[in-house]
Amino acid sequence: MNSRIIYMISLLAFLCQTITVSAQSLTQRADSAYAADNFAEATELYLQIADEEGTSSNLYYNLGNCYYRQGKPGMAILYYERALRLDPSNADARTNLEFVNSRITDEPGDRGMFISNTVNGFACRLSGNEWAGIAIGCFIMLLGAVALYIFSANVPLRKVGFFGGFVLLALCIIANVFASVSTRYSTSHDHAVVIDSSTLLSTSPRVPKDRSEEAMLLHEGTCVEILDSVTTRVDSTVVKWYDVKVDNSHRAWINGNAIAII
C-alpha cells in the first residue's frame, strides 16, 4: 500500500511538473514571437494560454499590445479594458489604454455625471479587495481610537481618540463605498467596444431601411454602454441587437456582431 501511494504521489508530481514546463514553454514562445514582431502568432499563443491556463491582467495586457501592433485598436482597447477589470492598478495597461483612446476616430461627448465619474475614476484605481483591506485597517484603528478615548486619563490623548475616531469612521465608510464601486466595475458586463472599422447605428433593432432610421456612425475603438438587447431573426439568420448609450446625448441600436463586450 505504501509503495502504491508513493507511486501515485510521484506520478502526480511528474504531471504537475510537465504541465508547468509546458505552460512556461508556451509563454516563452509567445514572448519570443512578440519580440520578433510576429504579432499574429503571439496573439494565437496568448489566447491559447488563456484557454489552457486561465486569464490574468498581464495576459490581457499582452494581448492588447499584440492587437494594437496589428492595427486593430478596437481589440486593443477591449483587452486593455479587460486587463484593468482584473487589476485596476495595472499602470501599463491604463497608460496604453489612454494612448490608444487618444488615437481613435470618434470623440464621444460627456458621459454620466461629473461627481459619479470622479468617484468611479478614483475608486477604480484599486481593486475591491484592496479597498476592503483599507476599510478593515481603518476599522481596527477606529477601535484603537475608541479605546484611547474611553480608557485614557490624558485629556489631549482623549481628544485625539475622539476626533481621530470620527476621521477613521469616515475613511472606513468611504473605503467600503469605493470597494463596492470597484467590485461592481470589475464584474460588470454592461460596456462594449466597437471592433468593426465602422458601423451604422439604427433607431430600431434592425438594419436601417432608409436615412430616417440611421442614427449615427461609429468607428473602431469607441466604447458604448449596453442598456438593453433583443434577438431578431431575418430568414434563417439570428442577430442580436443592443440598445447602447454612446454619451449623454446619443442612444441607438447596434448590431451585436460589430461590438465585443468587455
Side-chain angles (χ1 to χ4, degrees):
M1 178 64 71
N2 291 336
S3 61
R4 183 175 297 179
I5 294 175
I6 294 174
Y7 171 76
M8 292 298 295
I9 293 175
S10 300
L11 180 61
L12 288 173
F14 173 76
L15 290 174
C16 290
Q17 184 178 4
T18 301
I19 293 172
T20 301
V21 171
S22 176
Q24 289 176 345
S25 176
L26 201 59
T27 301
Q28 290 171 355
R29 286 169 56 196
D31 293 341
S32 297
Y34 183 87
D37 293 346
N38 296 327
F39 303 117
E41 179 184 352
T43 300
E44 292 180 2
L45 290 170
Y46 284 131
L47 289 173
Q48 184 179 345
I49 294 172
D51 289 337
E52 296 180 1
E53 303 298 324
T55 59
S56 69
S57 182
N58 285 333
L59 180 59
Y60 280 155
Y61 167 73
N62 290 337
L63 280 166
N65 291 340
C66 287
Y67 280 116
Y68 179 74
R69 292 291 189 175
Q70 295 176 78
K72 299 178 179 179
M75 294 298 293
I77 289 173
L78 173 69
Y79 278 97
Y80 289 142
E81 289 279 9
R82 287 179 176 176
L84 291 172
R85 290 291 197 277
L86 295 181
D87 181 11
S89 63
N90 190 331
D92 291 333
R94 190 174 299 278
T95 298
N96 285 13
L97 175 62
E98 292 173 354
F99 172 76
V100 180
N101 274 329
S102 69
R103 299 176 68 88
I104 62 176
T105 302
D106 298 325
E107 294 184 7
D110 294 334
R111 294 173 175 172
M113 302 294 290
F114 174 77
I115 295 178
S116 62
N117 289 341
T118 302
V119 171
N120 290 341
F122 189 79
C124 294
R125 293 284 175 171
L126 296 176
S127 68
N129 289 337
E130 289 172 323
W131 281 118
I134 293 174
I136 292 172
C138 289
F139 181 74
I140 292 173
M141 290 189 289
L142 172 61
L143 294 179
V146 171
L148 186 66
Y149 174 74
I150 294 175
F151 299 109
S152 177
N154 187 292
V155 175
L157 287 179
R158 294 190 67 191
K159 289 183 178 179
V160 169
F162 181 80
F163 292 107
F166 278 107
V167 173
L168 290 168
L169 176 61
L171 292 176
C172 184
I173 294 173
I174 292 172
N176 274 294
V177 171
F178 284 177
S180 175
V181 171
S182 182
T183 300
R184 185 171 63 250
Y185 162 78
S186 63
T187 57
S188 66
H189 299 286
D190 57 356
H191 284 78
V193 180
V194 176
I195 55 175
D196 281 359
S197 58
S198 64
T199 183
L200 185 63
L201 276 67
S202 175
T203 57
S204 57
R206 66 185 183 190
V207 176
K209 292 184 176 181
D210 51 47
R211 294 186 66 87
S212 65
E213 291 188 355
E214 296 178 1
M216 62 188 303
L217 182 69
L218 291 182
H219 297 85
E220 186 176 5
T222 303
C223 288
V224 295
E225 180 182 356
I226 298 173
L227 304 176
D228 197 3
S229 65
V230 296
T231 300
T232 62
R233 181 183 294 273
V234 179
D235 297 329
S236 60
T237 304
V238 176
V239 179
K240 195 165 189 177
W241 287 82
Y242 289 95
D243 181 13
V244 298
K245 179 180 179 181
V246 181
D247 53 37
N248 291 342
S249 304
H250 298 90
R251 174 179 174 178
W253 291 89
I254 189 170
N255 190 314
N257 296 323
I259 60 175
I261 297 176
I262 299 173

